[in-house]
Amino acid sequence: MANMKISLGFVISFFLCLFGGNCALLGIDFGTEYTKAILVAPGVPFDILLTSESKRKDVSGLALLMDLDKDGKKEFHRKYGTQALSTCIKTPQSCMLYLKPLLGQSHADDAMHDHASKFPGIGLGVQPGRDAVSVITADKSSKHNETFLVEEVIAMTFLEIKNRAMEYWQERSPETVGSVDEVVISVPSYFTEAARIALTDAAELAGLKVISLVDDGLAIAIDYGQKRTDFPENEKEYHLIVDAGAGATKVSLVSFVNSNNTLTLELENYGFSNKLNGELFTVMVKNIILEQFAERNNIPTDEILKDSRAMQKVWQAAEKGKLILSANTETTVNIESIYKELDFKGVITRAELEKKMEYSLSAIPEMLDTVFKGFDIKKLNSVILSGGSVRVPIVQQNLVDYFGSNELLSKNVNADESVVFGTTLEGAQILQLTRKKQFKVIDRSSVDYIIRYFSTETPSVPEGVIQVPQGLSSQEKLTANLTSFSDKFVPSIDIEVLSEGKSVIQKYSFKTPKRFNETTCEGGLEYSLNYGFSHSNIFQVKNIKLNCYPVVNLSLIHI
């Protein structure tokens, strides 16, 4: 591993409040399994916001209990943290965890069916009038229920974090307390526009304005870049970030250039696979437990899978077992009254788990081959490890096997917290809460887009198509001339944006102002379309510009 100087300290005074004494920013790493947050505010240390149980991370979600009061009206009680986990066992129909993969999905997506198979107690449906996943909770009798959009449930989690941040600010610096209204949130690069919009909606429901959605891999790069103090001047370095989280494993090839006191970080290439993730390790441990229990008690596994309370017990035991197997070669799992009052006690070995994961582990070389396509691997300076699953020995061994040794593997960032620190730093820079602009981030799109435009005369046949290839920089603002409409008056233009050439993700309609017509623009009309990405990396058609050319009659003067 290269000898690199890393500064682990953070200075509270690093942040300035340029907009008054009570400005604040909330940074959130909303993971599939766990959530971390940081509050940036006057008088508050730049560090992880502790949970109500004084932990540095909380489960992503809650248990939402529903009861009826004496008048028959529905009452809801929200449980977070370990209370949520214990409530999930007692009342599985209240358990609203692992919802991140359902953001922006439709009823036809595999994510919905996958979630239902893992957590049979919670009901899933589709919100009437819109193709979006909804979650159904019920009372203990299961006679009464209530439906919430996934965005509404996640908003409850964000609101709890916001309230906790306000309480902490009041405790640390009561004389500077204001309001927490702005947030920056981490997202995986593969998140679709629909998922990004849904996450933004969730934040807004919690009273939070989204300043930016920051790519996970780039957030880790920002955290790494801010801690390191010895980047050479005007020399490009390449670092691979391996982020093995609960929902997916992602690899980001990032370049760093230090020039004129500004560190530029650029996403060079990207790959991911949901074939390998921390949740899948839990699933495999769960399957081993079920196989052993079913064999000993002569009970069909399918029968146990239908018992939602039993599945909650097994899932939580499997999660603990997975963590122990990351550090030990075997673990003993104990579950009281798992099914039909029968207890379970069994030994699970790391070798068993690794055998179950053989197929999924093939995703590592596949992703690396993709991200290094066209790149000279000899130029790589280090491999930065992040995410809980990088602690799994077989994951690290697969990386060593690919690179031929462990010399490139670097543990210079906190595998659990690097994303939330980098995400918050990016948001602070956008809001100019830093003393000076210290880094520049260049993200790139991981998919291609197609823009189609139509006229009112032929609404079903595109007049033209604009291809937007994968890899477009997030900072580029592009313009395309709508050549089909050159020197032609069009009353209105309809626009569709397709992602990966498949589904329509956005629609726009443009009406030509009445003052622009064949008479006022006798010299010709020119339509041009401006497009690019928002701070949240959502692809957008910004506007259509119309240039009107009147005819100018020049008088000739005879000399």
Side-chain angles (χ1 to χ4, degrees):
M1 184 179 68
N3 184 20
M4 302 171 185
K5 295 181 180 178
I6 301 293
S7 172
L8 298 178
F10 286 93
V11 182
I12 298 174
S13 61
F14 181 74
F15 296 98
L16 293 178
C17 224
L18 302 181
F19 307 111
N22 65 345
C23 61
L25 171 70
L26 197 57
I28 297 177
D29 172 19
F30 180 65
T32 300
E33 186 175 7
Y34 291 106
T35 294
K36 279 82 69 176
I38 292 175
L39 173 65
V40 178
V44 176
F46 183 64
D47 200 2
I48 296 292
L49 179 67
L50 298 181
T51 71
S52 57
E53 299 167 331
S54 298
K55 295 181 179 180
R56 293 179 72 85
K57 61 183 180 182
D58 207 349
V59 292
S60 294
L62 72 158
L64 188 61
L65 288 167
M66 189 181 86
D67 291 316
L68 299 180
D69 64 14
K70 60 181 181 180
D71 297 321
K73 294 182 179 180
K74 296 174 182 178
E75 290 183 332
F76 298 96
H77 309 278
R78 303 175 187 181
K79 305 291 183 180
Y80 298 91
T82 55
Q83 286 189 359
L85 295 176
S86 60
T87 302
C88 284
I89 292 176
K90 297 174 184 176
T91 55
Q93 69 272 23
S94 70
C95 193
M96 298 188 176
L97 306 177
Y98 291 86
L99 296 181
K100 181 179 177 180
L102 300 179
L103 280 167
Q105 305 287 4
S106 70
H107 68 284
D109 285 296
D110 293 337
M112 184 174 174
H113 303 292
D114 184 55
H115 188 278
S117 67
K118 294 172 186 171
F119 308 103
I122 196 71
L124 296 178
V126 179
Q127 187 76 359
R130 54 184 295 185
D131 196 14
V133 179
S134 57
V135 189
I136 305 167
T137 186
D139 64 357
K140 293 179 181 179
S141 69
S142 295
K143 293 180 180 179
H144 306 276
N145 59 61
E146 188 68 33
T147 301
F148 299 90
L149 283 172
V150 169
E151 295 95 304
E152 292 177 301
V153 178
I154 293 175
M156 297 176 194
T157 298
F158 288 168
L159 183 60
E160 189 274 336
I161 296 172
K162 176 182 176 179
N163 291 339
R164 191 168 7 114
M166 286 295 301
E167 291 175 5
Y168 182 60
W169 193 0
Q170 176 68 42
E171 174 189 325
R172 293 292 308 210
S173 184
E175 68 279 1
T176 67
V177 170
S179 59
V180 179
D181 300 320
E182 296 177 311
V183 68
V184 57
I185 309 172
S186 65
V187 293
S189 186
Y190 63 80
F191 244 29
T192 63
E193 265 73 14
R196 292 169 188 268
I197 291 169
L199 187 62
T200 301
D201 288 345
E204 290 177 352
L205 286 171
L208 294 166
K209 177 185 176 182
V210 177
I211 299 304
S212 179
L213 299 179
V214 181
D215 171 69
D216 289 341
L218 284 174
I220 296 166
I222 293 169
D223 180 48
Y224 170 77
Q226 286 293 307
K227 290 175 180 176
R228 186 175 158 193
T229 60
D230 63 342
F231 280 103
E233 187 76 12
N234 296 320
E235 291 183 21
K236 181 175 281 191
E237 287 190 2
Y238 295 93
H239 297 266
L240 180 73
I241 295 169
V242 178
D243 182 15
T249 297
K250 298 144 285 187
V251 289
S252 305
L253 182 61
V254 181
S255 64
F256 295 76
V257 178
N258 183 32
S259 180
N260 298 322
N261 294 321
T262 298
L263 183 64
T264 300
L265 303 81
E266 182 171 356
L267 181 65
E268 301 286 348
N269 208 348
Y270 174 83
F272 84 98
S273 175
N274 51 21
K275 188 170 80 172
L276 177 66
N277 55 57
E279 187 179 327
L280 190 57
F281 278 100
T282 305
V283 169
M284 293 306 171
V285 175
K286 179 199 76 174
N287 290 346
I288 294 172
I289 294 172
L290 290 175
E291 288 167 6
Q292 291 186 13
F293 180 82
E295 184 178 352
R296 293 176 193 173
N297 297 284
N298 196 27
I299 299 174
T301 304
D302 291 344
E303 186 178 321
I304 309 170
L305 290 171
K306 295 176 183 177
D307 190 308
S308 56
R309 186 171 296 178
M311 291 308 299
Q312 277 292 335
K313 289 184 177 181
V314 174
W315 183 269
Q316 293 187 29
E319 178 64 27
K320 293 177 183 177
K322 174 191 73 175
L323 297 176
I324 295 172
L325 288 174
S326 293
N328 300 276
T329 57
E330 66 177 42
T331 182
T332 300
V333 177
N334 291 283
I335 309 175
E336 291 185 7
S337 188
I338 180 174
Y339 184 66
K340 291 185 175 180
E341 303 301 321
L342 296 170
D343 299 335
F344 173 81
K345 182 177 182 180
V347 175
I348 299 174
T349 66
R350 183 190 292 170
E352 284 181 279
L353 176 58
E354 290 177 354
K355 186 171 181 60
K356 290 273 189 184
M357 293 296 296
E358 280 181 355
Y359 168 74
S360 298
L361 289 165
S362 65
I364 293 177
E366 291 170 2
M367 284 187 295
L368 295 176
D369 286 343
T370 298
V371 82
F372 287 137
K373 188 176 181 180
F375 176 77
D376 183 1
I377 201 170
K378 294 178 182 178
K379 295 181 179 179
L380 190 67
N381 293 83
S382 78
V383 178
I384 301 169
L385 304 180
S386 184
S389 296
V390 295
R391 298 188 184 91
V392 178
I394 193 64
V395 172
Q396 292 192 22
Q397 186 57 51
N398 270 260
L399 290 170
V400 170
D401 291 345
Y402 187 90
F403 292 106
S405 73
N406 63 357
E407 291 183 4
L408 287 173
L409 302 190
S410 167
K411 299 178 182 178
N412 284 330
V413 300
N414 184 315
D416 285 327
E417 299 176 354
S418 184
V419 172
V420 70
F421 275 104
T423 297
T424 309
L425 285 165
E426 170 70 344
Q429 176 163 273
I430 291 172
L431 290 180
Q432 299 181 8
L433 299 179
T434 58
R435 289 189 177 275
K436 59 181 179 179
K437 187 174 182 180
Q438 295 186 326
F439 58 88
K440 176 183 177 182
V441 178
I442 301 176
D443 198 353
R444 294 191 178 278
S445 63
S446 58
V447 299
D448 52 26
Y449 299 91
I450 294 175
I451 302 173
R452 302 192 303 199
Y453 53 95
F454 306 77
S455 71
T456 50
E457 299 170 355
T458 55
S460 60
V461 180
E463 292 278 355
V465 174
I466 302 167
Q467 302 283 350
V468 184
Q470 176 183 346
L472 180 67
S473 167
S474 59
Q475 296 189 341
E476 287 187 71
K477 308 301 178 188
L478 301 178
T479 300
N481 289 325
L482 307 186
T483 54
S484 301
F485 299 144
S486 296
D487 300 325
K488 175 181 177 183
F489 174 76
V490 182
S492 64
I493 300 173
D494 292 326
I495 297 170
E496 291 181 346
V497 178
L498 290 79
S499 174
E500 298 184 274
K502 299 175 183 177
S503 57
V504 176
I505 58 172
Q506 294 172 17
K507 290 185 177 182
Y508 303 87
S509 185
F510 170 82
K511 289 187 178 181
T512 303
K514 292 182 179 180
R515 66 180 182 275
F516 297 110
N517 52 57
E518 293 95 331
T519 302
T520 58
C521 304
E522 193 175 349
L525 285 163
E526 184 181 82
Y527 295 85
S528 58
L529 182 145
N530 298 310
Y531 59 94
F533 291 93
S534 68
H535 272 306
S536 298
N537 249 17
I538 297 174
F539 186 81
Q540 295 177 334
V541 172
K542 305 289 185 180
N543 54 57
I544 290 180
K545 184 179 179 182
L546 192 154
N547 288 322
C548 170
Y549 300 101
V551 173
V552 179
N553 295 315
L554 299 177
S555 300
L556 296 178
I557 301 175
H558 295 281
I559 299 177

